[in-house]
Amino acid sequence: ATNLIKARLQGVPPLTITVFSLGILAIPALIYFPFSGLIETWQHTPGAGRATGMVVLLALTGTVLASWLYFTLIQRTDVVFASVITYCIPVVALAWGFASGERLQAGHAAGLGLILVAIWLIGRRDRSPNRRANPKGPAA
């Protein structure tokens, strides 16, 4: 998807891509909504409406903002760098977990180490002098 966005949507504003991609997901969500049981939950569970509002707020501030930033990054950098950024998601998740009082375990540290090594290896390989030349020739 990153390659397609870079190749085909380079001139489309990142906010437009974000609204369209997340808007497409709204269609099946709206079809499923009447069967989800959420309306009954709101009627019979105290605080369910507020909890739903918090989920919507999290979606708008987290998912929409992250998608917009990601599409902006794809357009401003190369696809390899933009793809490597997705490996940082577990790092941010660990930081949020630690900040909220969760205990970090050895497996968390090992996974974080593997992620950081993979990012370093990918970045190092991309800058190596032996990487393939552009098959289309020099840029015009």
Side-chain angles (χ1 to χ4, degrees):
T2 304
N3 288 324
L4 287 173
I5 292 167
K6 181 71 171 180
R8 308 262 189 224
L9 301 176
Q10 185 64 30
V12 179
L15 186 59
T16 301
I17 300 170
T18 301
V19 169
F20 183 75
S21 63
L22 296 176
I24 289 290
L25 294 173
I27 296 168
L30 289 172
I31 292 169
Y32 175 73
F33 180 74
F35 309 104
S36 69
L38 189 57
I39 295 172
E40 292 81 17
T41 301
W42 286 339
Q43 292 171 345
H44 303 294
T45 306
R50 184 168 193 265
T52 303
M54 293 295 125
V55 170
V56 169
L57 180 64
L58 179 62
L60 292 176
T61 58
T63 306
V64 171
L65 180 63
S67 296
W68 174 73
L69 288 172
Y70 184 65
F71 295 136
T72 301
L73 184 67
I74 290 171
Q75 290 186 346
R76 291 186 181 179
T77 65
D78 63 346
V79 293
V80 173
F81 180 75
S83 296
V84 168
I85 291 300
T86 61
Y87 291 111
C88 295
I89 293 170
V91 176
V92 174
L94 280 174
W96 277 113
F98 182 73
S100 65
E102 291 183 18
R103 287 187 350 170
L104 300 181
Q105 300 176 359
H108 296 123
L112 177 60
L114 284 172
I115 291 166
L116 294 176
V117 168
I119 292 171
W120 177 75
L121 287 172
I122 291 169
R124 185 172 151 238
R125 185 191 77 204
D126 187 50
R127 287 192 273 288
S128 70
N130 296 330
R131 70 180 198 197
R132 284 191 225 161
N134 183 357
K136 295 180 182 177

